[in-house]
């Protein structure tokens, strides 16, 4: 029954996405005894232009070389 | 005033989307007496790679021929 | 597989909620041929203080007798 | 810590998006004393076909010349 | 930077919630090399009356003894 | 037409919420020429137990006196 939504900037590979889906589902099963068949994990990817942090888009932060201070990705 | 968000894998036609928007708005009006002019229905479509169920992406489930067990679509 | 989220101000009865869940699920099945067993409909209720429209909370609009212009509910 | 999600139809320019991110972050800092470094503003853009209001998609409303009554954009 | 939202019916203990937050954050760090300091995991709990699956609320499914078929929780 | 959702830990006063709703609506009108009557701003408040950052709940971070490093609130 749980529905987990991951919001992040685009860039993950297919393999990384599979690992995320599998890993989060395992957590729901192991920690909460949820049924994996009804556990949904959804990935919403956003462009760097559409994600803002500290008052600026990640696109602008990257252009200014400042993302390292805020997030590795 | 209500805001309804539909999350699903991509693939619906324009006609199907219009029917969904109309049908859900009618439900809000008929069941809850909501004002249709302020009822919003938004459709968020995700790729099969970004939707996980039962610990795997729908993309992978489809490749393995297993989606039928979980969902027709 | 679809996940539908209804956001609205609190106030619906249990019967109205059941009708919404049933009605929206039927639409997903009839229009998109989705599997009802994997169709989830979630209702998120907000207080009138936490829902803003036209720059004011619904709580304030109601106190000013102005909600009728914007929404019946 | 706050996470603000803007949902709207596509069409804003990069400059407008930067202003939105900056403006909303400033509000969180000035009104609530939030730390800007942990304030995130995310913009989710939808096609006119995927946004419904008053029972019809914005795409259809625009084709019928009716969006002016409902929204300038 | 990632923002992960868990939607589920209420009932998890504080300890389970801590484990979920820690576990999902670890996945974001290990799989995607995300910065833990900017990874947010939010838990939205819903009542059984507000969560619908297969056209009925979980509340009603539980009363009818049918949740076992759909989800352990 | 825009729908803006603010997610944050609980604690804002009614006056602060009104300012947020008004301020964000003004931004949508001034920057994007949106119609205020169809601009909705919704506030979702979460408990400190349900908001995680850096792998721990805000509740736990506060108990350990560490929130100052991550967020003023």
């Amino acid at each position: 029954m749980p529905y987990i939504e991951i919001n992040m900037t685009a860039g993950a590979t297919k393999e990384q996405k599979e690992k995320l889906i599998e890993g989060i589902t395992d957590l729901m099963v192991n920690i909460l005894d949820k049924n994996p068949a009804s556990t949904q994990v959804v990935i919403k990817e956003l462009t760097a232009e559409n994600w803002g942090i500290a008052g600026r888009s990640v696109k602008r932060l990257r252009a200014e070389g400042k993302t390292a201070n805020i997030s590795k990705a």
Side-chain angles (χ1 to χ4, degrees), chain A:
Chain A
M1 204 159 34
Y3 174 82
I4 296 99
E5 187 175 298
I6 302 168
N7 290 276
M8 59 183 188
T9 47
T13 65
K14 292 180 188 183
E15 290 70 26
Q16 289 174 320
K17 290 177 186 177
E18 288 290 347
K19 283 185 189 172
L20 274 182
I21 290 168
E22 189 177 354
I24 292 179
T25 304
D26 284 350
L27 289 173
M28 301 307 289
V29 172
N30 295 334
I31 298 172
L32 295 173
D33 196 29
K34 294 289 185 185
N35 184 347
S38 60
T39 297
Q40 313 209 52
V41 179
V42 162
I43 302 170
K44 294 193 176 170
E45 297 181 284
L46 290 116
T47 64
E49 183 180 314
N50 284 358
W51 194 293
I53 186 164
R56 298 183 189 192
S57 71
V58 171
K59 180 171 188 166
R60 191 169 148 193
L61 288 168
R62 283 179 182 163
E64 296 173 358
K66 291 179 184 166
T67 41
N69 304 330
I70 291 168
S71 168
K72 291 179 198 170

